[in-house]
Amino acid sequence: IFEGTGYINYAGYTDCIFLENKNVRVILDPHTGGRVLEYSLRGVNSIYVDPSHNGWILYPWRKSYRPLRRTF
């Protein structure tokens, strides 16, 4: 792992990838196809994530595409 990179538990997801330097922080969720959970510039996140959706994943085989809370 390189300086400014690593893994973090974030928004109900485990082992998210983080990349950061003195100005920017990015957090990616590999469980949902690499979705960007956070993109912060100087500490201000430009991506809104509804806290009630934390930990939700998509089950594409279901008829409804509403994300469901992770059960495993």
Side-chain angles (χ1 to χ4, degrees):
I1 296 180
F2 295 97
E3 182 179 346
T5 67
Y7 296 95
I8 187 172
N9 295 337
Y10 186 87
Y13 301 100
T14 58
D15 298 325
C16 294
I17 300 164
F18 77 86
L19 310 166
E20 64 184 4
N21 62 26
K22 67 179 185 171
N23 293 314
V24 177
R25 178 179 175 159
V26 178
I27 298 179
L28 307 169
D29 177 23
H31 307 291
T32 56
R35 179 173 69 137
V36 179
L37 296 174
E38 178 179 330
Y39 181 87
S40 295
L41 177 62
R42 295 182 192 96
V44 178
N45 189 3
S46 64
I47 295 177
Y48 174 75
V49 177
D50 185 338
S52 70
H53 295 174
N54 287 355
W56 284 16
I57 59 172
L58 177 66
Y59 294 101
W61 60 88
R62 295 186 186 217
K63 292 181 182 181
S64 170
Y65 285 100
R66 182 178 150 264
L68 301 172
R69 193 162 293 279
R70 192 185 301 235
T71 59
F72 52 90

